[in-house]
Structure formats: structure tokens, C-alpha cells
Amino acid sequence: MGLWFTEKQTDNFGITAKINKTYHTEQTEFQKLDMVETAEWGNMLLLDDMVMTTEKDEFVYHEMVAHVPLFTHPNPKEVLVVGGGDGGVIREILKHPSVTKAVLVDIDGKVIEYSKKYLPSIAGKLDDPRVDVRVADGFMHIAESEKAYDVIMVDSTEPVGPAVNLFTKGFYAGIAKALKDDGIFVAQTDNPWFKADLIRQVYADVKEIFPVTRLYTANIPTYPSGLWTFTIGSKIHDPLKVKEDRFFELDTKYYTKQLHHACFVLPKFVEDLTV
Amino acid sequence: MGLWFTEKQTDNFGITAKINKTYHTEQTEFQKLDMVETAEWGNMLLLDDMVMTTEKDEFVYHEMVAHVPLFTHPNPKEVLVVGGGDGGVIREILKHPSVTKAVLVDIDGKVIEYSKKYLPSIAGKLDDPRVDVRVADGFMHIAESEKAYDVIMVDSTEPVGPAVNLFTKGFYAGIAKALKDDGIFVAQTDNPWFKADLIRQVYADVKEIFPVTRLYTANIPTYPSGLWTFTIGSKIHDPLKVKEDRFFELDTKYYTKQLHHACFVLPKFVEDLTV
């Protein structure tokens, strides 16, 4: 059989993938980092033994976290990514010609370093002149920002370890302050099969702060349950009311303008988490 | 760690689940059958070492295979299920008051027997007076039927072993003959991450026979990639043109009338399999 990686996505269930090669393994200041080559998914980044991204399916997460809020905003110029050191969200953001500045704040410089080295198709745009990469605490960066961004994207790990502050109501309040008056934020909010309580709590917290709160999903096969959720908080613009002429042709493999609307239509048991 | 079941969904990737108890294991006349209790998903039926259904997530598959074609047909009375010996599709079909007869044809009587014993919440409606359960070859039953059914649902295993005939163009032609003049059929057609060629082939084959051909998806966490596809072939009625007043309240956990439409909006890489 050779070497296989197994992620216990819950105490009683997980995925397993054949490993061709381990490129790098390290306990960074913040988390355990592994970069491996899998036989099924290409190169794969693991943090604290959880799959963060793979070359084969990364497009789903990165397209869906970026394009849904960016097309919802009529003219996004300044965009912040909290986390996301692999650079995939930045790559998608730069497909929007209105964007003049994309700031990436990841607490762990090692994620950026090894993504550049082993995930070039994902991290390859981190050196674009419109991108400002900072190795810093996203929570602090948010606290220090005021009316600075059109769109903020929280591309964090699970709510354990360094990301635990990024799932608190105080953080969402800080995001509201850091956004301009018509700003929008989106956060990855895990899966409804194993983390229903988390989704319900985040949705309720965001709803207390943002006039427009929406949940949408995408299929990510290497993430727990294959069904991932994203929560949007918006001050004015509603993702469900984007006008036809706002969309333009984009080179994508998952996102389409039809899916922009359809991804908000939830299975009943997921819809029930939002009421 | 104890006992864990691992399904290799491809040569290089799979899922793994903690097993509390093995209720039954048998090589039937047609396939290997295992009934186990898992810690995460409740009782689970395996055929040839592949997950067929689990108590916890079965509602997705069963609701989505049944309600999409049943609401598309204006007045479904006689319905056939090929395969589906666990009884879950039958349970959903019986929620439609227009249905007077639901025929189940599964080649393997052992699947029916052990589902009744260990999956009562799924198989519990197989004894309903409207249901006609036959242990027989679905391929032959189709070949012998003419203008007999309003809706036919193919709830088969993967296209290996006993189900291999159920993924052929000849079978779809037989289904067209077995359906009434405004009949509809649906088949489970695997996942787009690992079986893209199969989906493309089935879609093309069905399209040559049925005027209306459509692909839709649902999230099934215990199936490969978590993203499952279903292919519809219809003689007249279009699932995308179901009128608002056709829908009625249904006790479901996944299907909604909004999702009836949204499930046909495909990720771009899946949409590309249909053109």
C-alpha cells in the first residue's frame, strides 16, 4: 500500500489519500505544516493535519470565496484577505480589473513561503504589484483598520489554534468597522454535517451586525462532508440582487453567474441553520 | 483505534469510518453484502465494499432521486424503481398521493431482506399495499415492459458487477419503450471528480433517446467526492419548467421546491460534461 495520509474529520470519520512524496514538514511558530505530493489530488498543503488546499480541487474554494462577494459589490477596489497564505484567493481577486489593491494578512509566513515553493499555480500571483503581503495577526490588522476596505475575505483554518479569534462576534464587529460604508465580508464557515452549531452561531452573530446576511455552499471534495459553507455579511449590497450587467466573462472552473444565485439555495437542513 | 472500514473510492483516495459492530456479512449470488453499525453515520449498507446508504445521510439521495422527477411529472401514478432494494426511494415515492403503484425490481433479494432487518427507517415502507416488490433482473423487466410507467428511477450500484448493463444505451432505449408517452426517467450517474467520462457518455446516450435531458447534483457525504449527479431523460415534461402550483408541502430534509430548480445549475466543470 505504501504511505497514506488519513485526516480524521471527526472522531469517527475521515479521508485517506496516497502520498507519493513528502516535500516538507515543520512545526512553525503557529501550527504544524506539511507539504506533500498526493497521487489523487496533486500537491497538498496540510495545517495541523487538516487539508487546507490541493492542486486539483483548490479552484472551487478560491473561486467561490472570491467571486461571490466581488460581483456583489458594484466596484470593489480595495480588498483584504485574512489568512489565505497559499495565495489562491488573491489569484482570483486579481481577475477583477476594478481591484487596485489586495492586502493579504497571514499570521504564518511559513505558509506563504512553502506555498510559493510547492504550489506555484495557486500562490503565483502573490508577487503581483497590486498585492501587499503582510505576515501579521489578522485580528489585530482588522482592529486597526477603519473604513479601509470594500471587501474583506476571511480565509482561515478551522476554529482551533491560531484561527480561534476569527470566529467571534467581536471579530465580526471589527470587520464592520474596517469596511467602508457599503462594504461586504465573507468567511468560510465549515460544513453543515459535522459543524451545524458553529454555522448557526456564526450566522446569528453576523446577522446582529450586518443588515444583509447570507449563507452559500460549494462542493469541496477534500474538505469534511464535501459540502462547504460561506457566510456573507454586507452593509448594503445583496448578493441575491446583483444585476445581469454587473457580471463579466471570467476564466473559472466552478463559478458561473448562474451559480452565483443558485449557490444560495440551500438544502432544507442547512436552510434551517439560518432561521 | 478499534475497527475501521476504508473504502478506496479511487486507487489513491478514500473514506474511512469507525465500525461499532458488524451485523451481517455475506457473499450473495450477486455481490458482497455487509451491514455494519458505524459511529458516525449509524447503520450502513455496503455492497462490494462500497457505501450504498447510511441512516444519517440517506435522506439526500433518496429525496433527490425521487422528488425531482415526481414533481416534474404532472400526475405520476405508476412508478418503477430498478435496484433500490434498501427501500429508501420507495419511501419517498409514497409521499406523493397521486402514486397508485410503485414497483421495485431488485436483482438481489438479500439486499431487501437485510435492509428490512437493519435499516427499518429506510426500508419500512416496502410492505405498503401500493408497493410491488420483485426480486428479478431490472434489465429484463424493462425489456418486457411497454408504456407501463409514468416515472422510472434507476437506483443502481456503480457500473461494475450486477449493474453494468444499467449504464448502456440499449438500457435507456428500453426505458423509453417501458415509459408511457409522457414518461420521465432518472438514473444516479456517479460523481464528476472521478467519473467525468461516465457522466459525459451517459448524458450523450440519454440525449440521443430523450427530447429533454438534464443533469442535476446533490451533496452526499459518504459517496465519492461528496458531489453526486443524476441524469434525467424525459419525453415531454421539463424539470426546469415545473409550475409553482404543481408543488405541495412535503416532509423533507434536503429537497425543497427552490432546490428543485437550483440543483440543475451546475459548476462549470460539470456543465462542460453536458455540451
Side-chain angles (χ1 to χ4, degrees):
Chain A
M1 285 276 286
L3 190 65
W4 285 66
F5 152 76
T6 299
E7 175 182 342
K8 283 178 75 173
Q9 298 175 329
T10 73
D11 287 344
N12 301 310
F13 184 70
I15 57 169
T16 186
K18 185 173 172 62
I19 303 296
N20 293 335
K21 197 185 297 185
T22 299
Y23 290 115
H24 186 76
T25 183
E26 171 177 359
Q27 184 70 42
T28 76
E29 192 181 343
F30 302 99
Q31 51 206 343
K32 178 163 176 268
L33 183 158
D34 293 280
M35 188 70 75
V36 299
E37 181 191 292
T38 69
E40 186 65 52
W41 302 101
N43 291 353
M44 177 187 274
L45 169 66
L46 304 165
L47 294 177
D48 288 337
D49 297 325
M50 292 179 281
V51 177
M52 288 298 113
T53 198
T54 83
E55 287 180 316
K56 188 169 160 187
D57 76 343
E58 57 88 10
F59 67 91
V60 182
Y61 180 90
H62 294 134
E63 291 180 10
M64 291 302 283
V65 79
H67 299 309
V68 174
L70 285 171
F71 276 113
T72 300
H73 195 287
N75 188 28
K77 289 177 183 162
E78 296 177 294
V79 181
L80 170 67
V81 180
V82 176
D86 59 52
V89 180
I90 289 289
R91 182 194 63 202
E92 296 304 314
I93 290 170
L94 296 180
K95 292 178 180 175
H96 288 254
S98 66
V99 172
T100 55
K101 192 168 93 173
V103 179
L104 178 95
V105 181
D106 196 305
I107 202 167
D108 195 339
K110 297 288 187 179
V111 173
I112 300 167
E113 179 183 344
Y114 288 101
S115 296
K116 282 185 173 180
K117 190 164 179 184
Y118 294 109
L119 303 170
S121 65
I122 303 175
K125 297 288 184 184
L126 284 173
D127 295 323
D128 185 282
R130 284 172 289 171
V131 179
D132 176 5
V133 177
R134 303 182 191 189
V135 177
D137 182 340
F139 192 89
M140 291 305 298
H141 181 86
I142 288 287
E144 292 158 4
S145 301
E146 198 168 336
K147 298 196 179 183
Y149 296 105
D150 297 297
V151 179
I152 294 175
M153 302 171 185
V154 183
D155 177 9
S156 69
T157 54
E158 308 302 279
V160 289
V164 72
N165 284 331
L166 308 185
F167 288 82
T168 61
K169 203 163 155 189
F171 182 59
Y172 306 135
I175 284 177
K177 187 181 60 66
L179 284 170
K180 297 180 193 171
D181 290 339
D182 69 341
I184 301 170
F185 107 97
V186 65
Q188 73 82 6
T189 45
D190 219 307
N191 82 87
W193 289 93
F194 308 135
K195 298 288 184 64
D197 290 343
L198 173 77
I199 294 170
R200 193 187 281 110
Q201 185 61 52
V202 169
Y203 192 88
D205 287 347
V206 171
K207 202 173 176 182
E208 282 192 34
I209 297 168
F210 288 88
V212 181
T213 306
R214 305 273 184 215
L215 192 73
Y216 64 98
T217 68
N219 160 249
I220 304 176
T222 58
Y223 282 9
S225 90
L227 185 66
W228 214 247
T229 73
F230 303 86
T231 302
I232 277 189
S234 176
K235 294 187 178 183
I236 294 174
H237 308 295
D238 188 340
L240 297 183
K241 293 176 183 162
V242 179
K243 295 220 175 69
E244 179 66 26
D245 64 2
R246 171 68 182 97
F247 296 103
F248 52 84
E249 275 302 308
L250 210 57
D251 179 25
T252 58
K253 287 188 275 188
Y254 193 94
Y255 178 91
T256 68
K257 65 182 180 182
Q258 291 81 17
L259 207 64
H260 178 102
H261 297 285
C263 69
F264 290 93
V265 181
L266 304 173
K268 182 145 194 330
F269 79 106
V270 183
E271 195 181 306
D272 288 345
L273 303 177
T274 68
V275 288
Chain B
M1 285 277 288
L3 190 64
W4 285 65
F5 152 76
T6 299
E7 176 183 341
K8 282 177 76 174
Q9 298 175 329
T10 74
D11 287 344
N12 300 308
F13 184 70
I15 57 169
T16 187
K18 186 173 173 63
I19 303 295
N20 292 335
K21 198 184 296 184
T22 299
Y23 290 114
H24 186 77
T25 184
E26 172 177 358
Q27 183 71 40
T28 77
E29 191 181 342
F30 302 99
Q31 51 207 342
K32 179 163 177 269
L33 183 157
D34 292 281
M35 189 70 76
V36 298
E37 181 190 293
T38 69
E40 185 65 51
W41 302 101
N43 290 354
M44 178 187 274
L45 169 65
L46 303 165
L47 294 177
D48 289 337
D49 298 324
M50 292 179 282
V51 177
M52 287 299 113
T53 199
T54 83
E55 287 180 316
K56 187 169 161 187
D57 76 342
E58 57 89 9
F59 65 92
V60 182
Y61 180 90
H62 295 133
E63 291 180 12
M64 290 302 283
V65 80
H67 299 308
V68 175
L70 285 171
F71 276 114
T72 299
H73 195 287
N75 187 27
K77 288 177 185 162
E78 298 176 292
V79 181
L80 170 67
V81 180
V82 176
D86 59 52
V89 179
I90 288 289
R91 182 195 64 201
E92 296 303 315
I93 290 169
L94 296 179
K95 292 179 179 175
H96 289 254
S98 65
V99 172
T100 55
K101 191 169 95 174
V103 180
L104 178 95
V105 180
D106 196 305
I107 201 166
D108 195 339
K110 296 288 186 181
V111 172
I112 299 167
E113 179 183 345
Y114 288 100
S115 296
K116 282 185 173 180
K117 189 162 181 187
Y118 294 109
L119 302 170
S121 66
I122 303 175
K125 298 288 184 184
L126 285 173
D127 294 323
D128 186 281
R130 285 172 289 170
V131 179
D132 176 5
V133 176
R134 303 183 191 188
V135 177
D137 183 341
F139 192 89
M140 290 305 299
H141 182 87
I142 288 288
E144 291 158 4
S145 300
E146 198 166 338
K147 296 194 181 185
Y149 296 105
D150 297 297
V151 179
I152 294 175
M153 301 171 186
V154 183
D155 178 10
S156 69
T157 54
E158 310 299 280
V160 288
V164 72
N165 284 331
L166 308 185
F167 288 84
T168 61
K169 202 163 156 187
F171 182 59
Y172 306 135
I175 284 177
K177 185 182 62 64
L179 283 170
K180 297 180 193 170
D181 290 338
D182 68 342
I184 301 171
F185 107 98
V186 66
Q188 73 82 6
T189 44
D190 219 308
N191 82 88
W193 289 94
F194 308 136
K195 297 288 184 64
D197 290 344
L198 173 77
I199 294 171
R200 193 186 283 110
Q201 185 62 53
V202 169
Y203 192 89
D205 287 348
V206 172
K207 202 173 177 182
E208 283 192 31
I209 296 167
F210 287 88
V212 181
T213 306
R214 304 272 184 215
L215 191 73
Y216 64 99
T217 69
N219 161 249
I220 304 174
T222 58
Y223 282 9
S225 89
L227 185 67
W228 214 248
T229 73
F230 303 86
T231 302
I232 276 191
S234 176
K235 294 186 179 183
I236 293 175
H237 307 295
D238 188 341
L240 297 183
K241 292 176 183 162
V242 180
K243 296 220 175 69
E244 179 64 25
D245 65 1
R246 170 70 184 96
F247 296 103
F248 51 83
E249 275 303 308
L250 211 58
D251 179 24
T252 58
K253 287 188 275 187
Y254 193 95
Y255 178 91
T256 67
K257 65 182 180 182
Q258 291 79 18
L259 208 64
H260 178 104
H261 296 286
C263 70
F264 289 94
V265 181
L266 305 173
K268 183 148 195 327
F269 78 106
V270 183
E271 193 183 307
D272 289 346
L273 303 177
T274 69
V275 289

